[in-house]
Amino acid sequence: MIQHLASLPILIPMLAGVILLMPPCGKNLHIRRVSSVILSIVTLLVSAYLLFHVNSTAPLVYAIGDWSAPFGIVLVADRLATLLVLLTSFLGAVVVLYSCAGDDKKGSFFHPLVHFLVLGVNGAFLTGDVFNLFVFFEVLLIASYSLLMHAGNKHSTRAALQYVILNLIGSSVFLIALGVLYGVLGTLNIADLAQKVPQLTGDDVYLAKIGGLLLIVVFALKGALLPLHLWLPNTYASAMPLVAALFAIMTKVGVYAMLRVYTVIFGDNAGELAHMAQPWLWGLALATIVMGGIGVLASQDFRKLIANLVVVSVGTLVALVAIQNVSATAALLYYLVHSTIICAALFLIADLIAQQRGKVADRLVAGRAVAQPYLLGTCFVVAALAVVGMPPLSGFVGKVWILKSTLDSEKAMLFWPIYLVSSLALLVAVSRAGTSLFWDHTHKDSEAIEGTKAHPVKVIAVVALLACSPLMVVFAGPISDYMLATSEQLFDINTSINAVLQGGQ
């Protein structure tokens, strides 16, 4: 059973999506909800067990059809992949639970689509070759196209159309890049690519460089890196909040792909192509942080503000990818988990606030008072303190770790001012948003709407996300040890190559 463990975070969501389309789940809403929650919890438990197993042993390499790498398709469950699979499964379970309060009735096939999206994201994290990274990208994108239209209107339709067109272009560029790399190297297995890239000579070096640089375009689009980030604020702000909360993990797939490709394949051991992407990633990352900070300050509604917070987090993560050392990567992983969970929680909080403010919804203008000011206000304050990096929550730990890990880098003189000024911009913008949402009430319309109190299931889902922030501080010791071990494993390229090409355990 252990040898098949790496495939379960992919197989279970796939089976869940199929089961939820068939009778009786397909016709009975109550059965569909119960089944979806149970199956999402099963995926979460399997993902957690996989992480603990990999943490206590060697990386788990699963050769599909018993065809070994580099000739067959392999799944590689190392510390990095299992960490992100667990994060995705947890976020999927929370979103499924939140939707059971009624949001899943606003469109068709919500529950199967969520499981198919989790399937695509988990597959992207676990795959051992870049072609199947493309395949799983397409799986998650197809599911995301439909989820964007869940309870859609003309605004979400327009944003979804832009999202679809840009990602179709990105997929075309991805295929071209893969064709170039395969033509030069004769393989698309990540470990085999890492072994063959240093051996390139002559014109093959320049062709491989072209393929590698084209991948930057693809990953920048998937991760929302400037100047290919413009789709994200409108898309996330137009989607249903619970869909946007689930999408908080999707930009991290692009960041993960950058980390995996430009550390393992084009990293220290890549010969003439070593660190070829770092100058590009560094400049674009800093520009993304600046642009995201400006977007946060300029946002006129709360969901658009949160979407720009996601842009800032992507810029921060990619800057750490560009620094290319163990400490910075460990800080990246801690911050990635923190930012994904808190941004998802903020989208759900925005939904609860909008439902209680009447026509103004989540726009940052004077409006009706919310019906549950203490509950929603507390949730907002916790999320706001975490997202701007104030003590005593995980955002502060992540910020200090990021600053410490970049202190000895030659890039610190540029990164520190930009990062700290953007943090100040976030503090100002989030404080202004809280004032507008909770204190700035109209005189004639200040009565809270009766009967609009948040459903208990929705509150449980939000609290589950928010609780992760103090827990990441309480257990900061073992979590930081895991992040450091994960980073060291990622940079131990020769050991990873041998583990994959020789079949792992």
Side-chain angles (χ1 to χ4, degrees), residues 29 32-33 95 98-114 142-157 160 235 238-244 246-247 303 351:
L29 180 61
R32 184 161 66 247
R33 285 175 172 173
V95 167
Y98 187 94
S99 71
C100 292
D103 287 341
D104 55 350
K105 295 190 297 184
K106 297 179 181 179
S108 302
F109 309 116
F110 175 82
H111 289 283
L113 288 169
V114 169
I142 290 171
S144 69
Y145 298 154
S146 300
L147 285 171
L148 277 176
M149 299 304 299
H150 184 72
N153 52 36
K154 63 180 182 180
H155 299 293
S156 60
T157 302
T235 301
S238 300
M240 282 195 66
L242 84 163
V243 173
L246 184 60
F247 282 10
R303 281 189 292 169
D351 183 39

Side-chain angles (χ1 to χ4, degrees), residues 18 33 53 76 90-91 95 104 113 115 121 209 220 230 253 316 322 335 343 354 364 381 383 395 413 446 451 464:
V18 174
R33 285 175 172 173
H53 174 77
V76 182
F90 172 68
L91 191 58
V95 167
D104 55 350
L113 288 169
H115 289 278
V121 176
K209 188 172 185 178
L230 297 176
V253 179
T316 305
Y335 181 76
C343 286
L364 303 180
V381 168
M413 293 295 292
S446 60

Side-chain angles (χ1 to χ4, degrees), residues 31-73:
I31 295 176
R32 184 161 66 247
R33 285 175 172 173
V34 172
S35 301
S36 184
V37 170
I38 292 173
L39 289 167
S40 63
I41 292 174
V42 171
T43 304
L44 175 61
L45 293 176
V46 169
S47 300
Y49 179 73
L50 178 60
L51 182 144
F52 286 116
H53 174 77
V54 169
N55 188 42
S56 59
T57 61
L60 189 61
V61 179
Y62 181 71
I64 298 175
D66 206 25
W67 286 85
S68 60
F71 308 105
I73 298 171

